[in-house]
């Protein structure tokens, strides 16, 4: 049984497969996308708790563009940026746009797992706040 849904977005196929396999061994429902455009299509079909998103990808959208779309369409989905080629400045800009955090490549699995867990905790807290507001609105009608 999988408790968490994580989308990994990276154009490096070996990296993508390795991370997905390692997460699945830890009962995390991990899905992969090789481009930002593909990731946005996957998000239309299935909700994810966390998106782990490479900043530098070929194609029409880089990670920052994808981050902006995710935050616009799915504001409670947490995004962890991966940066190998991009500067730390770009990652910090991403955090200003709503990213949860960033990690430098090559990443250590333990570090990624810790960030994913922290991002899920934040998402759960945000969802609880939304539910509390909805309950208060409902109770006003009584």
């Amino acid at each position: 049984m999988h408790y968490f849904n994580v989308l990994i977005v990276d154009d490096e196929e070996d990296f993508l497969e390795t991370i997905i396999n390692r997460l699945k061994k830890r009962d995390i429902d991990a899905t992969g996308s090789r481009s930002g455009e593909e990731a946005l299509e996957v998000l239309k079909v299935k909700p994810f708790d966390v998106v782990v998103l490479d900043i530098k990808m070929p194609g029409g959208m880089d990670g920052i563009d994808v981050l902006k779309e995710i935050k616009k369409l799915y504001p409670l989905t947490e995004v962890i940026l991966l940066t190998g080629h991009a500067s730390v400045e770009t990652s910090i800009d991403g955090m200003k746009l709503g990213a949860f955090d960033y990690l430098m490549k090559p990443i250590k699995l333990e570090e990624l797992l810790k960030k994913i867990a922290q991002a899920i905790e934040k998402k759960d807290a945000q969802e609880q706040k939304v539910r509390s507001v909805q309950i208060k609105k409902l109770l006003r009608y009584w």
Side-chain angles (χ1 to χ4, degrees):
M1 176 181 230
H2 298 291
Y3 297 103
F4 309 114
N5 296 321
V6 177
L7 177 61
I8 311 293
V9 187
D10 198 297
D11 61 305
E12 295 176 37
E13 193 169 332
D14 290 343
F15 172 80
L16 192 60
E17 287 182 22
T18 300
I19 293 298
I20 288 169
N21 289 334
R22 288 176 156 193
L23 293 177
K24 284 183 177 182
K25 285 181 183 175
R26 287 159 180 83
D27 288 328
I28 295 172
D29 183 7
T31 302
S33 286
R34 290 197 190 103
S35 72
E37 294 88 349
E38 182 183 323
L40 292 172
E41 290 301 314
V42 170
L43 281 161
K44 287 179 185 176
V45 177
K46 179 180 176 182
F48 286 88
D49 297 303
V50 177
V51 176
V52 179
L53 177 63
D54 192 12
I55 291 177
K56 290 282 189 189
M57 291 181 291
M61 299 182 85
D62 67 8
I64 298 298
D65 294 330
V66 178
L67 169 66
K68 288 177 187 176
E69 280 299 301
I70 291 171
K71 284 301 176 180
K72 182 170 73 175
L73 299 171
Y74 315 99
L76 295 181
T77 299
E78 293 299 337
V79 178
I80 299 168
L81 298 173
L82 296 179
T83 181
H85 312 291
S87 67
V88 172
E89 280 180 30
T90 304
S91 300
I92 292 170
D93 289 344
M95 290 182 67
K96 290 176 185 173
L97 293 168
F100 174 75
D101 208 340
Y102 70 93
L103 292 170
M104 299 289 289
K105 281 184 171 181
I107 60 171
K108 293 185 176 125
L109 183 63
E110 295 77 26
E111 194 174 349
L112 177 61
L113 290 169
K114 181 179 174 184
K115 290 291 181 201
I116 289 171
Q118 291 169 343
I120 289 169
E121 285 178 346
K122 181 180 177 194
K123 181 178 188 273
D124 287 346
Q126 295 287 36
E127 287 175 343
Q128 185 59 45
K129 286 179 186 176
V130 170
R131 280 192 295 275
S132 293
V133 168
Q134 291 169 337
I135 289 169
K136 287 176 184 172
K137 284 181 183 178
L138 181 64
L139 290 175
R140 279 191 220 146
Y141 296 110
W142 284 67

